[in-house]
Amino acid sequence: MMNSPNKGVSRRWWVAAALAVFSLLSTPVAQAHSSSNSYLTLSTSGSALTLRADVHMRDLDLIFDLDANRDGQVTWGETQARSPELNDWLAQGIALAAAGQQCALGRADLQASEHADGTYLSALWVMSCPGLSSAADAADVRLALRYDLIFAQDSLHRGLLKVDLGDHQSSALLSPERPEARIGRADNSPLKVFGRYILEGVWHIWIGIDHIVFLLSLLVLAPLQPSRQKVVDWQAAKQARPVVLDVLAVVTAFTVAHSITLGLTITGWLTPPADLVEPAIAISVVLAALNNLLGFSALKRWRLAFVFGLVHGFGFASVLLDLGLPASALLAALGGFNIGVELGQLAIVGAFLPVAWWLRHTRIYRWVVVAGGSAAIVVLGAFWTLERVGWLG
């Protein structure tokens, strides 16, 4: 008995989807936003210059195997028992120099602190810097802070540095590519803040795998000719102009939307909790990919881009709040970060669209990239959602 054409198509769809799901879930992409941040604060306290580093217990456990009794929980007692090793490890991965001379860290005061995403180890040092006559002069001296903890274990790990030296506030994002931040009053001009936050925005969109996957889910149908048929039956677009306009509509809607909520959050008008925002971003990934498969809004994807762009804007804002925006150059920082996010998005579009245009005539594009890839993203987004609501431990 011969198989019907519909059964053959169905079988090919499931094979394509299974392969795409397997390939996505077997890569580090499945761990979107599970990569952690450490929080660094350089500030003055009375007559002292202090440096604080908050490192997630999860990261410490991966390195030091702190869970001695293997109960799945890292207690403060288990952490305290390893204090000498932790102090040595922190000291070799964090360094501060003033006027070209190394400051002495000494032994840190170790405590536990709570952040929105769990328990952190907080290390506090009172700095002794030969190149610094007093803490009050710190803003007028060229400082350099180096941070390279955890980069060897997780290349997506970031150190978020907040500087508060009296009338001088600034911030920086430290990465394997940029492990050192230079701090000084000259670096706090609006123009330099603007340039620095452009880089922060580009980096954030590039390491935000869930933002990238959401954007690609909305763009994957662009090289095809819209119709009321199932998306796998859409024909290849014949002209480039409608494709470019479609992409511009999606990207513009996403940009306008996340700019609105980014501004509202930074200015304090609206600050939803991170434990709602992060699952909502994951759900947006699921719905964008389901839209490709079910077609409930496949012809006007810019609407989805706008609605869920509002949610993603809250996610962008959380990074800026963690960095600590300089009050003296708030607009420059906010504008630079937003432009950086857009430049990062345009780079992604520029890399994806020519390849999609070249493949648009092929069944591989419709069945493997569109159908299989969207199915994989649905599974991936569902995994992120369950992970972020705490159902996966």
Side-chain angles (χ1 to χ4, degrees):
M1 181 176 179
M2 295 181 63
N3 291 329
S4 69
N6 287 338
K7 286 185 178 180
V9 169
S10 177
R11 185 177 297 111
R12 287 196 298 272
W13 188 94
W14 282 110
V15 170
L19 288 173
V21 169
F22 177 79
S23 63
L24 270 177
L25 293 181
S26 62
T27 67
V29 171
Q31 301 299 320
H33 276 200
S34 63
S35 295
S36 65
N37 297 322
S38 289
Y39 301 93
L40 303 143
T41 306
L42 182 65
S43 61
T44 53
S45 178
S47 60
L49 178 66
T50 63
L51 175 62
R52 172 173 168 165
D54 288 15
V55 183
H56 204 297
M57 289 290 193
R58 175 185 60 225
D59 295 321
L60 295 175
D61 186 40
L62 289 174
I63 297 170
F64 289 94
D65 192 19
L66 298 177
D67 186 14
N69 60 7
R70 297 295 186 269
D71 65 350
Q73 301 292 326
V74 178
T75 66
W76 180 236
E78 290 170 328
T79 305
Q80 280 185 309
R82 308 286 291 277
S83 290
E85 296 172 73
L86 291 170
N87 253 299
D88 291 341
W89 177 74
L90 290 165
Q92 61 81 33
I94 299 176
L96 180 69
Q101 301 185 60
Q102 289 295 319
C103 302
L105 264 71
R107 309 304 287 180
D109 177 20
L110 300 181
Q111 297 181 7
S113 63
E114 292 297 325
H115 288 244
D117 59 339
T119 304
Y120 282 65
L121 175 71
S122 294
L124 181 66
W125 296 272
V126 177
M127 308 302 298
S128 175
C129 301
L132 190 64
S133 58
S134 69
D137 300 328
D140 298 313
V141 174
R142 173 65 68 175
L143 303 174
L145 187 141
R146 179 181 60 82
Y147 171 87
D148 57 12
L149 300 175
I150 310 173
F151 291 152
Q153 290 78 24
D154 181 0
S155 62
L156 295 181
H157 177 78
R158 296 295 181 263
L160 304 182
L161 171 64
K162 181 179 180 180
V163 178
D164 187 1
L165 303 175
D167 61 347
H168 171 69
Q169 295 92 34
S170 65
S171 59
L173 187 147
L174 302 169
S175 66
E177 298 79 15
R178 295 183 295 157
E180 184 172 288
R182 297 192 177 275
I183 304 157
R185 198 180 298 278
D187 297 316
N188 209 33
S189 68
L191 185 59
K192 289 193 175 182
V193 169
F194 180 75
R196 188 164 66 245
Y197 275 86
I198 286 178
L199 293 177
E200 308 296 2
V202 171
W203 276 112
H204 180 68
I205 195 69
W206 283 354
I207 67 173
I209 303 299
D210 45 8
H211 300 305
I212 293 175
V213 169
F214 174 76
L215 185 62
L216 292 178
S217 295
L218 295 175
L219 297 178
V220 73
L221 293 181
L224 303 178
Q225 183 69 41
S227 73
R228 293 293 176 180
Q229 297 175 301
K230 293 183 294 184
V231 291
V232 290
D233 293 325
W234 286 15
Q235 299 302 307
K238 297 178 181 178
Q239 296 180 334
R241 185 173 181 273
V243 173
V244 173
L245 291 177
D246 186 27
V247 170
L248 286 177
V250 168
V251 173
T252 301
F254 187 66
T255 297
V256 171
H258 76 63
S259 297
I260 292 171
T261 46
L262 179 60
L264 289 174
T265 305
I266 296 303
T267 54
W269 284 90
L270 191 60
T271 53
D275 57 359
L276 293 180
V277 172
E278 289 302 316
I281 290 175
I283 290 172
S284 76
V285 172
V286 174
L287 294 179
L290 277 177
N291 176 57
N292 293 341
L293 297 174
L294 304 179
F296 48 82
S297 185
L299 298 177
K300 295 185 178 179
R301 296 181 305 285
W302 64 267
R303 294 176 178 175
L304 281 179
F306 183 84
V307 171
F308 290 118
L310 296 171
V311 178
H312 285 247
F314 291 124
F316 296 147
S318 68
V319 175
L320 281 180
L321 292 174
D322 286 337
L323 280 171
L325 289 168
S328 60
L330 178 62
L331 290 178
L334 186 57
F337 185 85
N338 217 17
I339 289 175
V341 169
E342 302 324 310
L343 291 176
Q345 288 179 172
L346 290 175
I348 293 167
V349 171
F352 168 78
L353 196 55
V355 176
W357 178 261
W358 181 58
L359 292 174
R360 73 192 190 284
H361 289 288
T362 67
R363 294 180 64 82
I364 290 176
Y365 186 80
R366 292 195 299 275
W367 286 101
V368 177
V369 178
V370 176
S374 297
I377 291 172
V378 169
V379 176
L380 194 57
F383 173 81
W384 289 337
T385 303
L386 295 175
E387 182 184 50
R388 293 175 188 186
V389 298
W391 290 1
L392 294 181

